[in-house]
């Protein structure tokens, strides 16, 4: 009882501290490109993406997508000009951090470089991005992991290069659906590699041949996948690569998951185990029939 109360209080304190941290940044940092801070779809997105979202049918969404491996979708999304503005805004923010010696929190435990966009004023715009543009897609392609009930996000950029983070180990995201868009600039290497979707029980299980995918980033092009799709980033061998990440979460899905039984329909390993059990059951039935047949004929 006491332990629980204590943990709750600590959690509350953490939330409060983070709120104050954000307030401090937002009241001191001067944005460079104000037009980024509210959604201007026509200026942000390429026409093909906008049309597919506006038509809002399974066919229209399918028509702009490539699915190089089951569950990984890629499509042209951001205007080059938007990518440039966002890159320059992030650089401006980093400069401010450096000049004021502000102690910032990095996007996650895996990246030493990069910035949380939600922390310096882009939260509202990114919320709109999730609700109006990512939710319509994930409703169609990821319904079984809460794709239609996304209700919070973590938005950040990661920076790779010889003087930045070089690569990123094999991991899963703290998200139901992840949007990953390359913003530029010039780089080589830095491919994303995917190794199949797994539930908590199977996150370390082996990979099947058909689950292996290596993807090379193209500026402006988005990759959309389930958070539980195991992946990593290979070394960026030259230049600098910056990617926009939006981890989309569903509180409904997270609540439901607590009551879920062992089997996860979206996990590659759960599916294989189920198939194996079915095959064994079929085999047992056949054997039983054969036995009966032999008994009746002898
Ligand atoms: Zn599983």
């Amino acid at each position: 009882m006491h332990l629980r109360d204590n943990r709750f209080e600590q959690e509350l304190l953490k939330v409060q501290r983070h709120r104050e941290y954000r307030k401090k940044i937002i009241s001191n940092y001067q944005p460079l490109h104000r037009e980024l801070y509210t959604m201007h779809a026509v200026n942000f997105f390429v026409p093909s993406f906008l049309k597919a979202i506006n038509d809002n049918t399974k066919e229209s969404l399918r028509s702009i997508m490539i699915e190089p491996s089951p569950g990984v979708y890629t499509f042209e999304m951001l205007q080059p000009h938007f990518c440039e503005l966002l890159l320059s805004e992030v650089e401006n923010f980093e400069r401010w951090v450096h000049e004021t010696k502000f102690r910032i929190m990095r996007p996650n435990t895996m990246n030493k470089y990069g910035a949380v966009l939600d922390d310096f004023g882009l939260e509202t715009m990114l919320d709109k991005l999730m609700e109006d543009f990512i939710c319509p897609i994930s409703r169609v392609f990821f319904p079984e992991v809460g794709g239609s009930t996304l209700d919070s996000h973590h938005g950040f950029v990661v920076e790779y290069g010889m003087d930045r983070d070089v690569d990123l180990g094999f991991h899963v995201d703290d998200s139901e659906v992840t949007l990953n868009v390359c913003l530029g600039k010039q780089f080589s290497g830095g491919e994303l590699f995917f190794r199949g979707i797994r539930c908590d029980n199977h996150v370390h299980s082996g990979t099947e041949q058909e689950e292996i995918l290596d993807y090379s980033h193209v500026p402006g092009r988005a990759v959309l996948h389930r958070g539980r799709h195991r992946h990593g980033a290979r070394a960026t061998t030259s230049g600098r690569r910056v990617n926009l990440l939006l981890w989309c979460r569903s509180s409904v899905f997270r609540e439901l998951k607590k009551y879920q039984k062992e089997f996860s329909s979206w996990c590659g390993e759960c599916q294989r185990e189920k198939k194996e059990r079915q095959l064994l059951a079929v085999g047992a039935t056949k054997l039983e029939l054969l036995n009966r047949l032999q008994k009746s004929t002898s």
Side-chain angles (χ1 to χ4, degrees), residues 198-202 262 264 267 269-270:
R198 293 292 184 277
C199 70
D200 292 339
N201 300 329
H202 294 128
E262 294 292 277
S264 299
C267 167
E269 192 63 26
C270 280

Side-chain angles (χ1 to χ4, degrees), residues 95 100 129-130 237 272:
R95 201 158 38 234
T100 58
L129 173 64
M130 180 183 76
T237 46
R272 260 188 296 284

